[in-house]
Amino acid sequence: MSKITINTKTIPMLDLKAQHGPLNEEIKSALKDILDSSRFILGPNVSSFEKEVASYHNVSGAVGLGSGTDALYLSLRALDIKEGDEVITTPFTFFATAEAITYVGATPVFVDIDRQTLNIDPSKIEEKVTSKTRAIIVVHLFGQPADMDEIMSIAGKHGLKVVEDSAQAFGAKYKGRPVGSIGDAGCFSFYPSKNLGAYGDGGMLITDKPEISEKVKLLRNHGTTGPYQHSFIGYNSRLDEIQAAILRIKLRHLDTYNQKRRDIASLYTSMLGGAVQCPVEKQDIVHVYHQYTFRTNRRAEVEKDLHDNHVSAVVYYPIPLHLQVAFKYLGYREGALPEAEAAAREVLSIPIYPELEPEDARMIAGVILKTLKK
Ligand SMILES: *Cc1c(COP(=O)(O)O)cnc(C)c1O
């Protein structure tokens, strides 16, 4: 087999240095203010950032938390989901989505995915609803909004709560509404590699239901209802002032960053359309391409040629959650969720970030096309 070499410059999955460069001075000055004030926990930056995120999503409540995983966990706590309950979710996501369900003692129930969107397939949800089902956690995977109308209607019919794991989709829209604002609660992660990334861990829960935001505000701070008064067992999960200050600066650029990701994605799709199965954009949605993930049954060859050309390419995710060792106790077998298993065999994610040069994106697509012509 001939070796393709077109490129010699290393192209990472994500270039955070390129993003931080232009913001450095502004961020340094915000950090200096925090050091001078010495307020590090639950101060003015966290409360301002919460207001800004709530307003961005047109909801009444936003609560800054320690991580996206905590946002998922605390949303389930606030919805009073507990041992003996079942929570429906997708097997094709980052591990934390289902992990959070186990933190409250509930059981994850996996529903297969839609081949086109890679998100939970609404037509397969109802057959998994039992008398124990209490909620659905939908994931807007890779920045692609899930089919919220269908999911909300099933949830309404069966009296289920809906939590949106929007960790990969800050700024994505479903029929004009930002994801995270449609279900009972939306969960975000500010892990550095996310579309809106901090300089450390961070997360947020948004909701239009005051009873949920009030509960999560207490939960994140040990259930504290007054000085050294604890009405229930809480937790320690607070976004800190330093991360909030950085995120406030980056939030102002987020829509521009997301548009740049969308521009790169459309360049990729225009070049790769006939050769691989590109991400779809359904009508009336805005996909924010946390990842650009396509499918091909010649993945190993494509991956190898990209790596030979110093282009990063990663399989998100190689093992669906129902086949993870940690979830063996749930009793799923191989073949149980065939679409998720097929996706795990065929998907490949290639570099996409706001600062990626269009000429590099063209070169990357060129390598893939050359491989597939071999
Ligand atoms: C990143 C991520 C999480 C977890 O967020 P952390 O802030 O790392 O805890 C949860 N779900 C999905 C889909 C994610 O991508």
Side-chain angles (χ1 to χ4, degrees):
M1 199 162 65
S2 62
K3 193 165 162 176
I4 297 169
T5 37
I6 298 172
N7 177 61
T8 53
K9 171 175 95 180
T10 299
I11 304 189
M13 288 301 282
L14 173 66
D15 187 351
L16 287 176
K17 276 191 191 154
Q19 180 158 110
H20 297 158
L23 305 176
N24 252 341
E25 288 314 309
E26 203 180 345
I27 287 175
K28 274 187 196 156
S29 129
L31 295 186
K32 184 180 178 300
D33 290 346
I34 293 170
L35 294 186
D36 290 347
S37 78
S38 286
R39 275 203 72 179
F40 297 113
I41 300 283
L42 297 182
N45 280 290
V46 170
S47 53
S48 297
F49 182 54
E50 289 174 341
K51 286 196 190 88
E52 287 154 9
V53 172
S55 140
Y56 184 98
H57 291 94
N58 199 23
V59 293
S60 60
V63 189
L65 301 168
S67 70
T69 306
D70 283 355
L72 290 165
Y73 164 59
L74 295 178
S75 70
L76 298 176
R77 285 277 312 263
L79 294 168
D80 201 28
I81 289 163
K82 48 188 182 300
E83 201 173 336
D85 294 339
E86 292 176 357
V87 178
I88 285 173
T89 194
T90 168
F92 198 60
T93 175
F94 180 59
F95 191 65
T97 310
E99 206 179 16
I101 298 170
T102 71
Y103 292 166
V104 295
T107 304
V109 173
F110 296 112
V111 166
D112 212 356
I113 58 168
D114 177 287
R115 167 166 276 272
Q116 279 206 312
T117 62
L118 302 175
N119 284 323
I120 194 166
D121 183 345
S123 75
K124 294 181 182 153
I125 292 178
E126 277 193 291
E127 63 199 62
K128 296 282 184 88
V129 173
T130 72
S131 58
K132 293 178 177 169
T133 312
R134 295 285 316 281
I136 305 172
I137 302 187
V138 302
V139 180
H140 306 295
L141 195 71
F142 305 143
Q144 164 87 289
D147 295 316
M148 290 309 293
D149 279 352
E150 291 86 340
I151 291 162
M152 293 307 290
S153 128
I154 295 165
K157 189 169 148 195
H158 296 277
L160 310 177
K161 304 290 184 191
V162 174
V163 173
E164 294 177 72
D165 181 342
S166 311
Q168 302 186 358
F170 201 112
K173 292 197 176 71
Y174 178 81
K175 300 192 177 174
R177 296 171 72 185
V179 301
S181 69
I182 302 165
D184 295 276
C187 300
F188 294 95
S189 164
F190 305 123
Y191 185 80
S193 66
K194 303 291 158 100
N195 286 31
L196 180 61
Y199 286 11
D201 276 310
M204 189 163 273
L205 175 140
I206 67 165
T207 179
D208 211 25
K209 304 208 155 112
E211 66 276 17
I212 297 178
S213 48
E214 290 315 313
K215 182 87 191 273
V216 174
K217 275 193 176 157
L218 297 175
L219 281 169
R220 75 171 165 186
N221 197 24
H222 309 289
T224 307
T225 41
Y228 300 99
Q229 293 169 44
H230 307 273
S231 308
F232 50 87
I233 304 293
Y235 199 63
N236 173 357
S237 180
R238 300 168 297 221
L239 183 67
D240 68 69
E241 282 289 294
I242 290 179
Q243 301 308 335
I246 292 163
L247 289 163
R248 291 184 71 198
I249 293 169
K250 291 181 80 173
L251 179 60
R252 295 181 210 130
H253 301 276
L254 181 77
D255 289 343
T256 311
Y257 293 156
N258 280 343
Q259 185 53 49
K260 287 186 173 163
R261 287 174 181 271
R262 288 174 51 73
D263 292 345
I264 305 229
S266 74
L267 193 159
Y268 277 147
T269 296
S270 70
M271 287 185 70
L272 295 172
V276 301
Q277 201 177 322
C278 294
V280 292
E281 284 195 28
K282 286 194 174 177
Q283 230 186 333
D284 225 0
I285 65 106
V286 178
H287 187 326
V288 293
Y289 293 96
H290 174 61
Q291 297 296 342
Y292 186 91
T293 305
F294 60 80
R295 295 173 72 138
T296 170
N297 51 20
R298 295 176 64 190
R299 179 174 75 187
E301 290 166 75
V302 172
E303 199 177 4
K304 181 180 179 302
D305 285 344
L306 286 170
H307 290 166
D308 285 346
N309 280 280
H310 314 283
V311 175
S312 305
V314 179
V315 175
Y316 299 119
Y317 296 94
I319 306 174
L321 300 193
H322 66 289
L323 300 179
Q324 291 285 355
V325 174
F327 285 130
K328 214 171 171 175
Y329 72 96
L330 296 172
Y332 290 85
R333 297 247 162 85
E334 219 174 314
L337 302 168
E339 286 298 342
E341 293 167 31
R345 286 191 297 269
E346 294 172 10
V347 290
L348 189 64
S349 300
I350 54 178
I352 190 161
Y353 45 92
E355 303 76 16
L356 181 65
E357 297 292 344
E359 71 207 70
D360 288 334
R362 261 180 231 114
M363 178 280 293
I364 293 168
V367 172
I368 297 167
L369 291 174
K370 222 163 168 178
T371 303
L372 294 174
K373 278 192 197 120
K374 277 200 286 200

